Amino acid sequence: QVQLVESGGGLVQAGGSLRLSCAASGSSFTINAMGWYRQAPGKQRELVASITSGGSTHYADSVKGRFTISRDNAKNTVYLQMNSLKPEDTAVYYCNADAIILVYMKLLNYWGKGTLVTVSS
């Protein structure tokens, strides 16, 4: 199986920056697409950004031009650089990954436990 562990959340003032990291660990797996989702209080979880194993990216309209997703395939780690943060970016941010478990040759989807980002006005 695969475990995803996020880090880098915290409290920041509006206009500030944070960098989230998510490292995948386990045994005998290959990570395909990775992404970041967020869930604000009282709202549904939404996709923030995603990146394929080849590096193609996709962003939610609300974060385009402010957030950048990247990955280090050698480290099985995905990053989310968040700049020009706004109070409406306040949410729990979750890492998500598609992974092929080699012993089963099966594609499964995994979630991290989340990291809280709070942007004060």
Side-chain angles (χ1 to χ4, degrees), residues 35-94:
W36 290 95
Y37 288 71
R38 67 186 181 187
Q39 187 167 19
K43 295 188 176 181
Q44 289 189 329
R45 191 173 297 189
E46 63 175 359
L47 174 66
V48 176
S50 64
I51 185 167
T52 67
S53 57
S56 296
T57 59
H58 171 79
Y59 296 93
D61 287 343
S62 59
V63 307
K64 281 181 181 177
R66 300 188 298 123
F67 292 9
T68 302
I69 190 170
S70 61
R71 63 189 287 170
D72 184 333
N73 290 333
K75 295 181 179 180
N76 287 321
T77 299
V78 64
Y79 306 96
L80 186 68
Q81 178 66 43
M82 304 185 293
N83 299 327
S84 302
L85 282 160
K86 305 175 181 180
E88 51 263 43
D89 294 318
T90 295
V92 177
Y93 284 70
Y94 297 90

Side-chain angles (χ1 to χ4, degrees), residues 8-12 18 20 115-119:
L11 173 64
V12 64
L18 282 175
L20 306 182
T115 184
L116 178 62
V117 172
T118 304
V119 184

Side-chain angles (χ1 to χ4, degrees), residues 102-117:
L102 299 178
V103 66
Y104 304 120
M105 287 308 292
K106 189 173 182 179
L107 181 67
L108 298 175
N109 186 259
Y110 295 90
W111 290 93
K113 293 183 178 180
T115 184
L116 178 62
V117 172

Side-chain angles (χ1 to χ4, degrees), residues 8-44:
L11 173 64
V12 64
Q13 288 189 331
S17 298
L18 282 175
R19 189 191 194 209
L20 306 182
S21 300
C22 171
S25 63
S27 60
S28 300
F29 66 94
T30 298
I31 296 289
N32 282 4
M34 302 185 82
W36 290 95
Y37 288 71
R38 67 186 181 187
Q39 187 167 19
K43 295 188 176 181
Q44 289 189 329

